């Protein structure tokens, strides 16, 4: 189904990740889903940096009673950067990660607004366990680990098994095209997808789903904001220009490589 909104539903639960300041795409996706006050949205971190409206997006999410944000490595770096004991290594790390839009957005806030946002970020959970119907999910930004640092920074390989049998692990952080690939290989794949008018899609690994489809990376026309609908199917929504396309993939099916496009059927 292309260019059509989902029919309104009640008490649907969604998850997405790595919006990176693309506020317009975020709200377009909510509109496409007919997202309502009865629905629930989990966001697996990284709403700031790269894109132009990360702070405004953070404020939207903070005000929404039915949206839950998890800590991502970009929010983690932001907290470290503004900490009283921040050293030059910490500052350089965040500065290398396209933080200019976030710093500019914070500068536009009042002192009280900045304090409220820092308090909000500091209180974000690093992982959540969620039950939807009869299914259990483990949500984390990077990959499950023993510390908050590990949870927001770790990256799996395509064949890394989930450490939680019986639960579906939802992650972000690692762009799907970068799983097991060099940056150069990922660039080639993105260029090939864009040349064919195609886009990145949710990666289905052994027991986990990676939702990071490069939203916020303006240099990649194949980017997408992916959303997992957590019941019996996975809904993958890619918003490119004014067109929305849905793909349905059985969440308990066999291992799929989303870049072997000659054999993938959706």
């Amino acid at each position: 189904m292309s260019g059509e909104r989902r029919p309104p539903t009640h008490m649907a639960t969604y998850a997405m990740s790595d919006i990176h300041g693309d506020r317009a795409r975020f709200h377009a996706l909510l509109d496409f889903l007919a997202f309502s006050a009865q629905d629930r949205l989990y966001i697996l971190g990284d709403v700031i940096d790269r894109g132009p409206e990360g702070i405004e997006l953070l404020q939207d999410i903070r005000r929404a009673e039915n949206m839950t944000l998890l800590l991502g490595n970009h929010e983690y770096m932001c907290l470290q950067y503004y900490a009283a004991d921040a050293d030059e290594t910490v500052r350089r790390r965040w500065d290398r990660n396209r933080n200019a839009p976030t710093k500019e957005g914070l500068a536009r806030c009042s002192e009280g607004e900045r304090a409220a946002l820092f308090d909000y970020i500091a209180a974000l959970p690093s992982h959540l366990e969620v039950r939807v119907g009869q299914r259990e999910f483990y949500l984390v930004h990077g990959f499950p680990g023993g510390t908050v640092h590990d949870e927001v920074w770790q990256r799996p390989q395509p064949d890394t098994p989930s450490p939680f049998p019986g639960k579906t692990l939802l992650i972000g952080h690692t762009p799907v095209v970068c799983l097991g690939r060099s940056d150069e290989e990922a660039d080639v794949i993105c260029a090939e997808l864009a040349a064919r008018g195609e886009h990145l899609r949710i990666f289905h690994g052994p027991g986990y789903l990676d939702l990071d489809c490069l939203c916020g990376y303006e240099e990649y026309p194949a980017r997408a904001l992916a959303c997992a609908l957590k019941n019996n199917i996975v809904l993958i929504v890619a918003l490119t220009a004014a067109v929305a396309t849905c793909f349905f993939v059985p969440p308990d099916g066999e291992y799929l490589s989303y870049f072997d496009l000659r054999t993938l059927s959706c």
Side-chain angles (χ1 to χ4, degrees):
M1 99 189 163
S2 178
E4 299 176 2
R5 294 201 329 167
R6 245 184 101 247
T9 59
H10 296 289
M11 299 186 68
T13 304
Y14 302 92
M16 63 180 70
S17 190
D18 295 82
I19 307 167
H20 281 303
D22 199 337
R23 189 184 183 206
R25 191 174 295 242
F26 172 73
H27 284 288
L29 178 53
L30 294 186
D31 182 62
F32 177 82
L33 296 171
F35 187 77
S36 73
Q38 287 73 45
D39 297 329
R40 167 65 60 180
L41 172 62
Y42 294 94
I43 303 166
L44 310 183
D46 280 9
V47 302
I48 60 171
D49 296 344
R50 304 191 188 281
E53 295 186 282
I55 293 301
E56 292 82 357
L57 182 55
L58 193 63
Q59 291 170 325
D60 291 344
I61 297 167
R62 182 170 68 94
R63 287 191 290 260
E65 295 182 357
N66 59 341
M67 296 184 189
T68 300
L69 176 64
L70 277 70
L71 185 71
N73 63 304
H74 283 259
E75 290 83 20
Y76 186 70
M77 286 189 288
C78 177
L79 284 178
Q80 291 181 317
Y81 186 96
Y82 288 105
D85 60 350
D87 58 25
E88 194 59 30
T89 299
V90 165
R91 292 181 177 275
R92 284 200 301 267
R93 182 185 300 120
W94 195 40
D95 284 338
R96 290 195 302 268
N97 280 275
R98 304 190 191 182
N99 64 358
T102 303
K103 293 167 74 173
E104 292 166 3
L106 287 169
R108 292 192 296 269
C109 294
S110 67
E111 184 176 344
E113 289 172 331
R114 282 194 299 274
L117 284 173
F118 286 134
D119 287 345
Y120 174 66
I121 296 172
L124 295 177
S126 58
H127 68 266
L128 285 175
E129 296 183 56
V130 177
R131 186 179 184 87
V132 181
Q134 300 303 309
R135 300 191 61 194
E136 295 184 357
F137 298 84
Y138 191 99
L139 282 54
V140 66
H141 179 67
F143 206 73
T147 66
V148 171
H149 181 276
D150 290 345
E151 289 179 315
V152 301
W153 280 107
Q154 285 192 138
R155 300 183 189 276
Q157 292 299 310
D159 58 353
T160 301
S162 167
F164 304 114
K167 296 181 181 179
T168 301
L169 173 63
L170 300 182
I171 67 169
H173 183 48
T174 303
V176 292
V177 71
C178 296
L179 285 163
R181 295 182 175 87
S182 67
D183 290 345
E184 292 75 17
E185 291 171 325
D187 287 344
V188 170
I189 290 173
C190 283
E192 291 174 349
L193 286 171
R196 294 194 293 268
E198 298 172 352
H199 55 77
L200 298 175
R201 311 175 205 178
I202 290 174
F203 183 88
H204 189 165
Y208 77 87
L209 299 175
D210 183 358
L211 309 185
D212 185 351
C213 293
L214 286 177
C215 184
Y217 288 74
E218 292 294 330
E219 64 270 33
Y220 292 110
R223 72 190 188 282
L225 176 56
C227 178
L229 172 62
K230 302 186 299 187
N231 51 24
N232 293 322
I233 56 176
V234 174
L235 170 64
I236 304 168
V237 181
L239 295 177
T240 54
V243 178
T245 308
C246 295
F247 298 89
F248 297 90
V249 181
D252 297 316
E254 63 183 9
Y255 176 81
L256 296 175
S257 168
Y258 276 88
F259 300 101
D260 185 1
L261 298 175
R262 291 166 298 181
T263 61
L264 175 69
S265 61
C266 293

